[in-house]
Amino acid sequence: MQDEQLEQQSTAAAPIQSVKKFYFLDYIYILLYSVCKYSKGRDILVSFLKMKRAYRLGESKYKKLTADTEDITDGRIRRYIYTFRQVFAEVSDYGLIKSPDDWDTVYLTETGEELLLQYKQKGAKSFNQSLFKFMEDKYGAFRYLITKLDSANRNLPGLLFLPSYSPRQLDFDRQNMKTTSDFVTYSSQLINRLEDDIQEHLGTTKDLKTENKRLLKQLIRTGLLSSHRRDRFDPDKYNVITKRFRDFWMNYFLREIYDYGYSMPSFDIWTYRGKQIGIIHATEFHPYFCGKIVYPLSIIINSVESQDFDQLYQYSDGNKLFVHRPNWSDNQEKFVEAIVEAYYDLRRTYSSYFINLAALREIVCLKMKISDKTFEDFMSRTYRLNLAGKLRIRISLEVDKLPEETSAIYLKREPIMVDKKYRNIIAIDATKGRRL
Amino acid sequence: MSKLTRKPAHIQKPDTLARFQKFYLSDNPFPKDPYVNQDSTDKRVNGKIYETEIHKAEFQQIKDNFLKQSQTDPNHLRLGYIVDTSYIGRGNGKSAFLINLKQIIDQEYCLDISEGKNKCFALYVSPEAGGRIKTFPSFVDILFNSIAKSDIIKNCLAILRLEATKKLYQNAEEIIQHTDDEKLVNDLNTEEWFEKNGFDILAISEEIWGNEFLQQLPPEFPLFQGRRAFMKPFITSSHFTDYYFNTPKTADRINFLFSHMVDFFLAAGFNGAYILVDDFERIPDFQSERQKRDFALQLRSCLFDGSYTNARVGFYDFLLVLHAGVPRLIADAWSLSGMEQRVPILPKISSKHVIHFEKLSKKHAILLLKKYISEYRLDGQNLDPLFPFTEDAVQKIGELSEYNAASILKMADELLEKAADSEEVKLINPSFINKNLGIFEDDSSTRATVRKTSKVLDLQKKAKVKKAKK
């Protein structure tokens, strides 16, 4: 019922779940750029793939495990044609390109040209915000998402938490997990933990036993587990089984707990796109949560009094979307306070002077409701003040890894750019002349 | 035309100034590659140019807690850590600090610092990068290498021979009275000198062998070589090196260094030695958990409770230099081996054995540049000691290089080179640095549970709070 109301409020032209299946907004830029340079369908596709590789979209920008070949082979084209078509269709829907004779000639519309020029002149941030307007006009998805997030949590405003505990995180040793019974034990510990999370974050109680039985039945039906507890499962399927647990409970939380009306993939696409625009934050690396957290960096309201919000969009019912963009001069004290507090909290678990900067970033971003980009900007300013001796604390930032962290963690988490250099770890000395 | 009368196209003018002469410098005082190499002859990189004021507090702490404490006190500190608290990175001046510390200790064998209580020498040990040193025996090998490379064995032999000669020959004092220490050590390690002065080396050796500290040593100890031979022996430091490296068993090598050599040093009148281990992380970085634990156990045995002479008397005092990540890396091994109880690497309260190595400040950066410049300043010039740099420029350099000593020196070097090439530049000030900023930028592009999160900003509430616009 509530969902219907939400949809009625917006004048969206297409349902949320019909969004095209890609995450990176950069894809739209490289398509527009390719169309600007070439007019034939295949040339555009080749240029798109070349730029995709050059920008390293769809993979970690910082570490590359396999060498790339220069050639655009037919196999490569077949692999990426789906993504290309999805981007092509979405960009056509927004009226940024026109292709009257089905791929033979493709050209930019006037709006498309303007948008491309905007990227060149004002950069990706401004480009993404313009794209946001096209997306919101068509789908109204961000309004739905942000409204859902706002009501997700009583204790931590705006925070949507999708818990995920692997067997390892619940102290199960993979070597000892051999039979169906081991997974049944894991599942009962898992639901205990999930019930605790619901109690803690949402202030309500839920009995997950029935759902758990349903999941186990599904796994037995698909042959991944046996109906006899002592039977061994196929060890090659271990990862598949754990993924089923993860997906099942994430979907359950999304639909049943948070009352989100659409599928997990569309939720992921919209949150990740929102993250690129800077109106939503999503992470799987918050040090105090096992799983994924999502929270809004913007609000939908008639008007704001605070100077720390910028209007990004106006809806037909008079409501506006304001993005939270705190200015440095009013918020510097709060920011430094937040990094110092987060540093000392994290140090309790690390017991060394240096701690992971990405972990600190997640805590500060949530506490202040700021984006990664704002964090980098504020951190750079703080660091420069520190070097100039204008702070009462001292900060060291380094690119090194912490000894106990494996390279795999760094493959997943991209380093943070502070003062034009990549940084991985931070130490703060607040003992001298401090007030904390 | 004959090559004798042909002239080159580029002729040096007779009044040409040397490149850095316009800044009243004989050469560029700053190192191109600012990393300490103590074997280099260039004083810009071998650690000889050192400003003691910069890490004065750290030095004072080492002095009070280690150097001034009597070595015969059974509770004196046998192990300490110099922990880089504020900086994990390379180039913060730790190696230069250690080399300087070694020189200060060796200058008067610590007799001056300890007010006569201790006679100690220092050794600088740096495990090589790349992970070759994984086990305690291989660490002992580099330790012995460092002894062999220093002149300490030669000096000990000289001390023992000098004392024996003085005892046996009344004219010895007269012969040596005008010889300086360095020449005397060389003389006492040359067989011909004894022959020339009519001192019988066999009688002197026998006098030495009677030293009370040498009585427990095995007959194969290098000092006793040739004791029962027909030829008169003359032992040099190479006998010690050969003996050590020809000893096949690692246990015997450890025993040699931590028992026999300790007796030998005690016989020569030393009562301790400071082993300064730089870049200690190069050892645990490559060790397995088991190797870490074995290493810690053997170190404990050699320092505290093994059957070695060193464990009994506490002769060697180790100072391990650790970067900030290392305590965590070895904490488990330290705790399993019992080292954490004796000398905690992560003490709960501030402890005497942990020396925090601080990061540089603007004041330090100025002192650092002044020191280097003073070493190359042309005489007779009554100039600002920082010239051609201004104080503001040094602050700027410091900030740009994040107050890392090596980066400061490197940047100073590059700026001075640039300034020397340009005729108009008379002073290196912040605007000159700004103009040359491009040369310092690196390649990196400017690219496109503990439930503690109690207080989280509520955007809805914040939006409603009015604040006057600045």
Side-chain angles (χ1 to χ4, degrees):
Chain A
M1 185 66 196
Q2 203 187 357
D3 288 346
E4 282 166 24
Q5 280 172 359
L6 275 171
E7 282 190 38
Q8 279 162 11
Q9 281 167 12
S10 73
T11 52
I16 290 174
Q17 74 275 25
S18 68
V19 63
K20 297 295 178 275
K21 302 284 186 292
F22 65 94
Y23 296 82
F24 297 105
L25 298 178
D26 293 333
Y27 280 144
I28 294 181
Y29 165 68
I30 65 171
L31 180 68
L32 292 181
Y33 184 87
S34 302
V35 174
C36 177
K37 288 202 107 182
Y38 305 96
S39 57
K40 296 262 179 242
R42 192 182 155 89
D43 296 342
I44 294 167
L45 172 60
V46 170
S47 160
F48 180 85
L49 292 186
K50 278 186 180 163
M51 286 184 79
K52 176 186 180 304
R53 194 176 53 195
Y55 279 70
R56 296 203 175 170
L57 295 175
E59 58 187 82
S60 174
K61 286 186 174 69
Y62 305 97
K63 296 244 172 101
K64 192 116 180 77
L65 296 175
T66 50
D68 255 347
T69 54
E70 284 297 311
D71 310 329
I72 303 288
T73 56
D74 285 346
R76 202 184 172 91
I77 288 175
R78 272 197 301 279
R79 222 168 35 247
Y80 295 113
I81 192 88
Y82 175 77
T83 308
F84 178 77
R85 283 194 174 135
Q86 295 283 310
V87 182
F88 196 94
E90 185 157 339
V91 172
S92 303
D93 283 353
Y94 298 149
L96 302 174
I97 56 173
K98 279 237 183 296
S99 166
D101 42 11
D102 195 25
W103 283 61
D104 264 355
T105 43
V106 186
Y107 58 88
L108 288 179
T109 62
E110 205 176 310
T111 328
E113 277 175 8
E114 278 169 18
L115 201 59
L116 193 60
L117 191 68
Q118 188 183 16
Y119 189 100
K120 283 177 192 156
Q121 289 176 344
K122 294 182 182 169
K125 188 174 154 191
S126 164
F127 175 84
N128 287 348
Q129 286 180 359
S130 296
L131 277 182
F132 161 76
K133 289 176 185 130
F134 288 109
M135 286 187 261
E136 200 60 350
D137 282 347
K138 186 168 161 65
Y139 298 101
F142 292 115
R143 179 173 196 170
Y144 178 79
L145 190 56
I146 290 166
T147 315
K148 279 285 169 203
L149 292 175
D150 278 338
S151 60
N153 198 318
R154 268 187 242 163
N155 298 344
L156 301 169
L159 184 91
L160 184 141
F161 172 37
L162 299 173
S164 160
Y165 300 94
S166 67
R168 199 174 62 84
Q169 281 161 323
L170 295 180
D171 296 328
F172 284 85
D173 187 350
R174 184 176 175 169
Q175 305 299 323
N176 299 332
M177 291 196 67
K178 293 188 171 108
T179 62
T180 295
S181 170
D182 295 326
F183 265 112
V184 172
T185 319
Y186 159 69
S187 75
S188 68
Q189 289 203 17
L190 177 64
I191 58 166
N192 286 342
R193 186 63 75 91
L194 297 176
E195 283 169 0
D196 289 350
D197 282 341
I198 295 170
Q199 169 79 44
E200 184 172 348
H201 295 294
L202 305 165
T204 56
T205 50
K206 278 257 179 200
D207 185 352
L208 302 179
K209 286 189 193 76
T210 322
E211 283 300 314
N212 189 40
K213 274 183 194 154
R214 201 160 69 83
L215 167 63
L216 289 171
K217 272 184 191 161
Q218 269 179 24
L219 290 169
I220 292 166
R221 206 169 45 242
T222 49
L224 289 167
L225 292 179
S226 164
S227 49
H228 301 287
R229 289 197 170 199
R230 286 190 187 168
D231 284 357
R232 289 177 170 243
F233 59 83
D234 179 358
D236 291 344
K237 293 282 189 315
Y238 177 87
N239 287 337
V240 179
I241 302 169
T242 50
K243 188 170 183 307
R244 290 281 170 93
F245 273 96
R246 178 190 153 95
D247 292 350
F248 179 88
W249 288 114
M250 280 208 172
N251 268 309
Y252 174 83
F253 265 72
L254 199 61
R255 273 207 300 271
E256 305 295 328
I257 309 278
Y258 298 115
D259 195 28
Y260 184 82
Y262 304 101
S263 69
M264 193 75 199
S266 91
F267 175 80
D268 278 343
I269 288 175
W270 287 119
T271 50
Y272 195 73
R273 286 186 179 191
K275 188 176 179 180
Q276 292 167 77
I277 298 160
I279 56 172
I280 286 169
H281 189 89
T283 178
E284 291 185 30
F285 297 108
H286 196 291
Y288 300 151
F289 296 94
C290 272
K292 185 173 189 165
I293 58 166
V294 182
Y295 51 90
L297 304 174
S298 50
I299 51 167
I300 294 164
I301 199 168
N302 261 324
S303 62
V304 292
E305 298 291 335
S306 164
Q307 301 293 333
D308 284 346
F309 291 85
D310 287 346
Q311 184 183 328
L312 211 60
Y313 190 83
Q314 178 154 10
Y315 294 95
S316 55
D317 62 358
N319 276 318
K320 299 170 190 103
L321 186 142
F322 293 91
V323 63
H324 184 224
R325 219 170 265 152
N327 69 70
W328 169 245
S329 57
D330 287 343
N331 290 280
Q332 47 186 319
E333 182 69 21
K334 274 186 204 142
F335 180 76
V336 177
E337 195 178 306
I339 59 168
V340 173
E341 190 186 292
Y343 172 76
Y344 281 98
D345 275 353
L346 281 171
R347 247 196 75 178
R348 279 186 210 133
T349 48
Y350 277 89
S351 75
S352 70
Y353 291 101
F354 279 87
I355 56 143
N356 189 307
L357 180 59
L360 180 124
R361 176 185 60 186
E362 294 304 349
I363 296 176
V364 174
C365 282
L366 172 60
K367 187 181 165 70
M368 293 187 73
K369 296 274 175 71
I370 53 174
S371 67
D372 287 357
K373 287 270 171 287
T374 308
F375 176 86
E376 285 189 6
D377 175 35
F378 280 16
M379 195 70 220
S380 299
R381 288 167 184 269
T382 309
Y383 189 53
R384 282 197 290 270
L385 286 177
N386 158 66
L387 291 176
K390 290 180 181 161
L391 285 186
R392 292 172 74 181
I393 56 164
R394 293 189 306 161
I395 301 171
S396 285
L397 285 166
E398 290 295 331
V399 76
D400 304 49
K401 294 170 190 175
L402 287 173
E404 70 271 22
E405 293 185 329
T406 61
S407 51
I409 294 172
Y410 283 88
L411 272 178
K412 285 205 266 174
R413 268 195 297 206
E414 292 170 350
I416 300 164
M417 178 91 88
V418 179
D419 206 19
K420 296 182 185 168
K421 282 184 187 155
Y422 290 119
R423 320 280 182 163
N424 277 318
I425 54 174
I426 180 170
I428 294 177
D429 181 1
T431 51
K432 292 190 177 117
R434 71 189 194 131
R435 57 180 187 79
L436 279 155
Chain B
M1 199 197 284
S2 159
K3 70 176 180 186
L4 300 174
T5 53
R6 274 178 72 186
K7 291 208 161 70
H10 295 224
I11 298 174
Q12 205 73 267
K13 289 180 189 160
D15 56 348
T16 309
L17 289 174
R19 246 182 114 222
F20 299 96
Q21 211 171 331
K22 70 170 181 171
F23 299 127
Y24 303 101
L25 293 165
S26 59
D27 195 358
N28 184 340
F30 306 108
K32 295 257 171 297
D33 191 12
Y35 291 96
V36 176
N37 173 7
Q38 63 162 347
D39 298 326
S40 169
T41 50
D42 186 346
K43 62 180 174 181
R44 286 171 283 207
V45 291
N46 65 10
K48 292 261 164 60
I49 304 181
Y50 186 78
E51 177 52 70
T52 48
E53 276 295 309
I54 295 177
H55 290 293
K56 204 174 167 186
E58 289 86 339
F59 177 66
Q60 191 60 41
Q61 211 186 332
I62 293 177
K63 211 161 130 180
D64 293 343
N65 301 338
F66 288 88
L67 309 184
K68 279 186 170 180
Q69 300 302 317
S70 169
Q71 278 289 110
T72 53
D73 175 358
N75 292 324
H76 77 270
L77 296 172
R78 299 176 185 199
L79 178 60
Y81 312 108
I82 299 179
V83 186
D84 196 349
T85 58
S86 55
Y87 216 78
I88 203 169
R90 270 49 63 182
N92 202 21
K94 292 190 295 293
S95 302
F97 175 78
L98 287 190
I99 286 171
N100 192 257
L101 178 64
K102 174 181 157 35
Q103 282 165 359
I104 291 171
I105 294 171
D106 282 345
Q107 210 164 24
E108 292 293 326
Y109 285 137
C110 209
L111 285 160
D112 50 346
I113 302 170
S114 68
E115 290 151 1
K117 275 184 272 190
N118 299 328
K119 184 174 183 180
C120 299
F121 59 90
L123 291 173
Y124 173 81
V125 185
S126 174
E128 60 193 73
R132 204 176 65 81
I133 312 298
K134 282 201 186 93
T135 61
F136 190 72
S138 54
F139 175 67
V140 173
D141 285 348
I142 59 161
L143 201 57
F144 185 81
N145 253 329
S146 148
I147 291 178
K149 258 171 73 182
S150 75
D151 281 339
I152 191 63
I153 298 178
K154 193 172 160 188
N155 289 358
C156 287
L157 288 170
I159 293 166
L160 287 167
R161 284 174 187 150
L162 182 63
E163 282 173 351
T165 311
K166 277 187 183 171
K167 206 167 175 185
L168 294 174
Y169 299 95
Q170 286 178 346
N171 62 340
E173 191 71 53
E174 199 183 315
I175 291 171
I176 60 167
Q177 64 181 340
H178 298 300
T179 318
D180 67 51
D181 281 0
E182 201 180 334
K183 185 171 183 310
L184 192 60
V185 169
N186 281 331
D187 287 346
L188 288 160
N189 278 283
T190 323
E191 208 171 351
E192 293 75 32
W193 183 81
F194 288 91
E195 285 169 8
K196 193 180 87 186
N197 290 298
F199 302 144
D200 180 10
I201 190 67
L202 183 60
I204 291 168
S205 297
E206 274 172 355
E207 178 62 30
I208 294 171
W209 294 333
N211 186 306
E212 55 174 331
F213 290 104
L214 303 178
Q215 301 316 304
Q216 300 301 319
L217 290 176
E220 67 274 13
F221 188 72
L223 194 64
F224 302 142
Q225 272 181 32
R227 197 174 181 179
R228 307 204 190 288
F230 293 108
M231 304 297 287
K232 286 183 185 177
F234 192 81
I235 305 298
T236 62
S237 55
S238 63
H239 285 90
F240 284 75
T241 320
D242 292 346
Y243 175 82
Y244 180 85
F245 288 109
N246 288 326
T247 303
K249 284 189 183 168
T250 53
D252 292 342
R253 288 186 181 192
I254 296 173
N255 199 29
F256 177 73
L257 192 70
F258 286 93
S259 284
H260 304 163
M261 286 303 281
V262 172
D263 284 328
F264 172 68
F265 292 134
L266 287 170
F270 288 98
N271 64 355
Y274 296 99
I275 318 284
L276 314 174
V277 187
D278 201 0
D279 298 318
F280 181 72
E281 75 272 9
R282 287 177 181 174
I283 301 175
D285 262 353
F286 297 93
Q287 285 177 320
S288 65
E289 284 309 311
R290 194 198 166 97
Q291 281 170 328
K292 280 181 201 165
R293 203 184 59 226
D294 288 351
F295 189 96
L297 273 171
Q298 281 178 299
L299 186 64
R300 170 187 153 176
S301 169
C302 287
L303 289 188
F304 298 107
D305 52 9
S307 57
Y308 305 99
T309 311
N310 184 62
R312 199 159 36 80
V313 301
F315 186 84
Y316 299 121
D317 299 336
F318 280 73
L319 272 170
L320 308 183
V321 175
L322 316 174
H323 75 57
V326 177
R328 175 84 182 161
L329 198 63
I330 56 174
D332 285 350
W334 243 235
S335 124
L336 283 172
S337 65
M339 288 285 272
E340 192 61 21
Q341 282 73 34
R342 287 178 179 274
V343 244
I345 205 157
L346 294 167
K348 299 279 179 284
I349 49 165
S350 72
S351 305
K352 282 182 174 180
H353 67 278
V354 180
I355 290 110
H356 295 298
F357 200 81
E358 299 290 348
K359 195 173 180 171
L360 302 192
S361 65
K362 178 190 167 189
K363 190 181 128 203
H364 295 144
I366 291 173
L367 285 169
L368 183 71
L369 293 203
K370 273 186 187 168
K371 183 73 183 176
Y372 272 82
I373 291 170
S374 72
E375 293 286 327
Y376 286 82
R377 181 65 88 207
L378 291 171
D379 291 338
Q381 300 301 334
N382 189 16
L383 287 166
D384 174 1
L386 211 51
F387 177 78
F389 293 88
T390 65
E391 281 207 9
D392 289 348
V394 180
Q395 177 166 8
K396 179 102 187 161
I397 293 171
E399 287 171 19
L400 284 170
S401 51
E402 303 173 55
Y403 286 107
N404 173 291
S407 307
I408 289 173
L409 292 174
K410 176 118 186 96
M411 201 177 282
D413 164 69
E414 284 169 358
L415 284 168
L416 198 62
E417 289 285 341
K418 277 262 165 199
D421 288 341
S422 158
E423 279 184 19
E424 310 90 72
V425 179
K426 303 275 184 282
L427 209 57
I428 298 176
N429 51 24
S431 75
F432 177 74
I433 298 175
N434 284 337
K435 272 185 220 149
N436 287 285
L437 262 185
I439 61 174
F440 308 115
E441 283 183 0
D442 56 21
D443 318 329
S444 53
S445 63
T446 53
R447 59 137 185 163
T449 128
V450 191
R451 313 282 184 208
K452 277 287 297 156
T453 37
S454 49
K455 280 178 260 160
V456 169
L457 177 69
D458 186 340
L459 287 182
Q460 299 282 353
K461 279 188 190 161
K462 180 175 176 177
K464 289 168 194 156
V465 179
K466 193 169 185 175
K467 195 169 184 182
K469 212 168 193 173
K470 285 197 174 179

